[in-house]
Amino acid sequence: MDNRNDLILGAAAGYCAGQVRLFAQSLAQTGFNGRLVLFVHGSQLGSMKDMLRTYAPSLEVDLVRIRSIHEHPKLVRSCLKRLAAAMPAERISVLKRALLRFHGKPHVTRYFYYADYLAAHAGFVRVLLSDVRDVVFQSNPFRDLEPGLHVGMESEDLTIATEPFDRDWMLDAYGESMLRELGHKQVSCSGVTLGDFEAVRRYVDLILREALRLPFRHMKTRIYDQAFHNKLFYCGELGDAHPCQPLKSRIATLGCLDPAIFVLSETGYLLNTDGRVAPIVHQYDRHRVLVDLFEASMPA
């Protein structure tokens, strides 16, 4: 299949090449011939190139170097944090954006890199934003993709109010009133999101809008992207957004599922409940049976 106009963006800064191997190797095995972009620190460039050359030579990969506080030694980070704390971030919007981009947690700062790349490469048609450490591909993630945005869903048994991390993120970002309004909703996972170019570009812009509304002193030390993601989704701000239920769609988000329900084919694939291969498998590393399955089919 010709998918040269498809784009996958992933933040790999801070991961060793081995932690990204199955992500890249499995994508190559699907025959994907669009572009994969990995955002990395300068110290990672050599090992990432070697890994990709060995395990995913067919992929077109753009390794984009980023700069952040997290690539520096602890003593340097400490000095940079004190310097940032003394700056008037709340009074100067451009400064706040620059500081959050450099100083923030990777789950938030990745959206700055995504926004820049999308702004500079408007020729793509479909885009996938993906975690890279705990995702594997079993088939082309874009096949038969409907217009709009597609978001991964966690277990149907989890709600924002009952899942401890999501509850804390929502409270931290929006307070009690938003938790009361959305607490009964099923958790949507921000780790894998895809859609047509304009839908994804708008999604990234909205995530950054939410991040920049909060005080820098909070955003520099907390991870909120999933709270932003769920608020935008359930408040209807994402437009034509399609929820992708685990084992019933193109995104299998598996972290909180019982592995006893997994159906594995004789040829080494995880199957959806309709017997079809799940194209994107997320959080497989939470389940030993799936780690063994994918390591066996893609040995190092």
Side-chain angles (χ1 to χ4, degrees), residues 25 66 122 161 195 199:
Q25 191 173 357
I66 64 160

Side-chain angles (χ1 to χ4, degrees), residues 249-265:
S249 68
R250 70 180 61 247
I251 306 173
T253 306
L254 306 176
C256 295
L257 295 186
D258 182 349
I261 70 172
F262 296 162
V263 176
L264 309 181
S265 74

